[in-house]
């Protein structure tokens, strides 16, 4: 029985799709069977970031409508056979997703995989609430910047009210991934510090992903950063995050691409 | 350490953090409820309109949110005839 995880943020462009691909790949690299599901109907991009854009035949809406079987729509990763993608539709709009249809697909995914990772669209409307609805836990991706933090706070409110778990009166498990963090800027007082963001959002920290060229390079070639360059700083951050999700205790650090210059590793208790 | 800090200028990240704490405190308390300012505006106007014909675009409403206290300022431009009467009262 899978754990269903939603990657969400409110604001666009903070790294949801990068995070979905990287966490999905990291969990699959660790031996788990993983499905990553793109909920961004009309603006799909997870296929592109995963390098599967030329292999899409059927999508989530085809499965929801019964035009295709789940197995026909799932795309197995060519590099990692435990990793699968369920793409979003590029032509339809989000209203084509029915609550019951999505529930049925999620149930089927739960049976098949160890992890189901839902990549939420930006915003707080139906697409985003559908993506989070069936989740057992949430990863909130936030940049150390005022608009991203405010939107994350809003999304946290929705996670605590609009998910099935919340409606059943259970506590929704939430984790923060602070991405595009630049330790040098934070040290100069030009960027919100990790502690500032944690104090404001008050959810546990899952990873600090530093601003890095490696994220751009990975998306350029269509390969999750944890597979494209596993030793790079963002890859190490995501690989540690995946281990924490599995329940391991891993010391928190700000990984760095530069060898010793800003190698200020500091420990912090993990989520 | 930024050189500007020596002259007492606050780092922008500190300003960001303070602004966020303030606005989120208000947004969290108002979550799920109606917009207080809109309600107040409508009700205050309704009271005034019972006595005086007020033009909607002559009404200025300002809200200042602070940590301990928030203030609502209402500025209503009254017709000349009424203004004279009020001054005498």
């Amino acid at each position: 029985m899978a754990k269903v995880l939603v990657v969400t943020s409110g604001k666009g462009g903070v790294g949801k799709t990068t995070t979905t691909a990287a966490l999905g790949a990291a969990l699959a690299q660790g031996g788990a069977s993983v499905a990553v599901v793109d909920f961004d109907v009309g603006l799909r991009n997870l296929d592109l970031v995963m390098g599967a854009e030329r292999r899409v035949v059927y999508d989530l809406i085809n499965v929801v409508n019964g035009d295709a079987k789940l197995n026909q729509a799932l795309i197995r990763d060519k590099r990692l056979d435990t990793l699968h993608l369920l793409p979003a539709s590029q032509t339809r709009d989000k209203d084509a997703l029915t609550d019951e249809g999505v529930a049925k697909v999620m149930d089927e995914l739960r049976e098949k995989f160890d992890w189901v990772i839902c990549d939420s669209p930006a915003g707080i409307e139906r697409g985003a609430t559908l993506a989070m609805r069936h989740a057992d836990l949430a990863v909130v991706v936030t940049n150390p910047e005022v608009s991203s933090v405010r939107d994350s706070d809003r999304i946290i409110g929705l996670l605590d009210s609009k998910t099935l778990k919340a409606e059943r009166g259970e506590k929704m498990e939430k984790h923060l991934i602070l991405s595009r963090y630049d330790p040098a800027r934070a040290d100069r007082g030009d960027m919100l510090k990790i502690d500032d963001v944690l104090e404001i959002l008050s959810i546990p920290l899952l990873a600090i992903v530093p601003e890095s060229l490696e994220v751009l390079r990975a998306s350029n070639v269509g390969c999750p950063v944890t597979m494209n360059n596993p030793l790079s700083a963002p890859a190490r951050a995501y690989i540690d995050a995946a281990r924490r999700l599995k329940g391991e205790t891993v010391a928190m650090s700000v990984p760095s691409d530069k060898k010793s210059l800003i190698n200020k590793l500091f420990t912090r208790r993990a989520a | 350490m930024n050189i500007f800090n020596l002259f007492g200028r606050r780092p922008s990240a500190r300003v960001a953090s303070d602004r966020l704490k303030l606005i989120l405190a208000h947004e969290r308390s108002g979550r799920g409820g109606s917009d207080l300012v809109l309600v107040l505006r409508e009700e205050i106007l309704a009271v005034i309109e019972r006595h005086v014909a007020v033009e909607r675009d002559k009404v200025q409403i300002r809200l200042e949110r602070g940590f301990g206290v928030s203030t609502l300022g209402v500025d209503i431009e009254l017709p000349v005839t009424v203004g004279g009467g009020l001054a005498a009262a």
Side-chain angles (χ1 to χ4, degrees), chain B residues 1-85:
Chain B
M1 179 58 110
N2 191 315
I3 186 98
F4 290 110
N5 296 348
L6 298 174
F7 301 103
R9 203 165 99 174
R10 298 169 74 213
S12 65
R14 178 80 7 235
V15 179
S17 170
D18 291 346
R19 289 174 57 220
L20 271 170
K21 283 175 193 163
L22 185 57
I23 192 65
L24 290 180
H26 283 276
E27 287 182 354
R28 284 168 187 159
S29 65
R31 206 170 271 162
S34 56
D35 193 327
L36 180 66
V37 184
L38 281 180
V39 173
L40 287 175
R41 187 185 71 189
E42 289 311 309
E43 292 193 3
I44 289 169
L45 277 175
V47 170
I48 309 268
E49 277 170 346
R50 254 186 263 154
H51 304 282
V52 195
V54 194
E55 283 178 52
R56 286 279 170 132
D57 57 1
K58 299 272 170 74
V59 179
Q60 298 285 333
I61 300 193
R62 288 176 314 276
L63 180 73
E64 282 291 333
R65 288 168 162 154
F67 269 110
V69 65
S70 297
T71 61
L72 183 72
V74 185
D75 222 331
I76 305 171
E77 200 177 302
L78 296 176
V80 185
T81 49
V82 182

Side-chain angles (χ1 to χ4, degrees), chain A residues 49-64:
Chain A
V49 169
M50 305 264 302
E53 71 278 7
R54 289 183 300 157
R55 300 170 63 207
V56 177
V57 183
Y58 294 111
D59 57 53
L60 176 62
I61 287 180
N62 294 137
V63 182
V64 165

Side-chain angles (χ1 to χ4, degrees), chain A residues 145-146 149-150 153-154 157 187-192 196 199-201, chain B residues 1-2 5 11-14 16-17 19-21 23-24 27-28 31:
Chain A
E145 177 270 322
V146 287
V149 176
R150 184 193 210 177
D153 189 76
R154 192 78 199 280
D187 280 350
R188 284 198 302 268
D190 293 328
M191 181 180 270
L192 286 168
D196 293 334
E199 187 193 341
I200 292 166
L201 295 178
Chain B
M1 179 58 110
N2 191 315
N5 296 348
S12 65
R14 178 80 7 235
S17 170
R19 289 174 57 220
L20 271 170
K21 283 175 193 163
I23 192 65
L24 290 180
E27 287 182 354
R28 284 168 187 159
R31 206 170 271 162

Side-chain angles (χ1 to χ4, degrees), chain A:
Chain A
M1 205 58 173
K3 271 206 162 183
V4 178
L5 183 158
V6 62
V7 177
T8 187
S9 70
K11 190 175 185 298
V14 297
K16 283 182 295 298
T17 302
T18 299
T19 296
T20 303
L23 280 182
L27 286 164
Q29 283 165 292
S33 66
V34 180
V36 291
V37 184
D38 193 346
F39 270 85
D40 204 346
V41 175
L43 290 170
R44 76 166 174 229
N45 275 316
L46 189 55
D47 56 334
L48 203 52
V49 169
M50 305 264 302
E53 71 278 7
R54 289 183 300 157
R55 300 170 63 207
V56 177
V57 183
Y58 294 111
D59 57 53
L60 176 62
I61 287 180
N62 294 137
V63 182
V64 165
N65 291 346
D67 302 331
K69 292 261 192 309
L70 180 60
N71 272 337
Q72 295 175 294
L74 282 168
I75 302 169
R76 181 192 290 239
D77 192 276
K78 281 193 167 161
R79 301 148 294 209
L80 196 56
D81 62 9
T82 48
L83 180 61
H84 299 75
L85 163 71
L86 182 56
S89 167
Q90 183 69 335
T91 49
R92 306 288 292 276
D93 79 49
K94 61 186 184 308
D95 296 329
L97 288 175
T98 60
D99 288 357
E100 306 75 42
V102 170
K104 201 164 151 281
V105 175
M106 294 310 291
D107 283 345
E108 212 176 325
L109 286 165
R110 260 181 213 277
E111 295 292 325
K112 278 184 189 301
F113 295 96
D114 298 325
W115 289 90
V116 177
I117 305 183
C118 304
D119 185 16
S120 172
I124 53 169
E125 285 162 33
R126 189 150 177 274
T129 51
L130 264 180
M132 69 171 65
R133 185 135 185 89
H134 299 269
D136 301 311
L137 70 162
V139 166
V140 178
V141 183
T142 306
N143 293 167
E145 177 270 322
V146 287
S147 56
S148 174
V149 176
R150 184 193 210 177
D151 291 359
S152 292
D153 189 76
R154 192 78 199 280
I155 278 292
I156 289 168
L158 292 182
L159 287 166
D160 288 333
S161 61
K162 300 265 178 163
T163 53
L164 285 173
K165 234 182 157 181
E167 286 175 6
R168 287 196 300 261
E170 295 167 34
K171 195 173 174 341
M172 185 72 187
E173 186 183 333
K174 301 172 290 285
H175 300 273
L176 179 74
I177 287 191
L178 189 64
S179 63
R180 310 198 75 159
Y181 185 71
D182 184 334
R185 285 184 184 170
D187 280 350
R188 284 198 302 268
D190 293 328
M191 181 180 270
L192 286 168
K193 289 190 194 304
I194 299 158
D195 285 335
D196 293 334
V197 181
L198 288 177
E199 187 193 341
I200 292 166
L201 295 178
S202 45
I203 59 172
L205 183 64
L206 184 66
I208 306 153
V209 182
E211 171 80 60
S212 168
L213 182 60
E214 289 303 323
V215 170
L216 183 61
R217 284 191 177 139
S219 71
N220 285 344
V221 298
C223 183
V225 68
T226 51
M227 286 156 76
N228 196 50
N229 186 353
L231 296 177
S232 66
R236 282 183 284 140
Y238 282 121
I239 289 166
D240 283 354
R243 291 174 59 197
R244 290 182 193 110
L245 284 174
K246 288 190 292 185
E248 291 179 40
T249 307
V250 186
M252 185 68 70
S253 64
V254 187
S256 169
D257 279 330
K258 294 159 202 154
K259 274 281 147 53
S260 57
L261 190 59
I262 322 166
N263 218 358
K264 288 180 182 168
L265 301 179
F266 60 92
T267 51
R268 178 192 300 277
R269 208 149 49 82

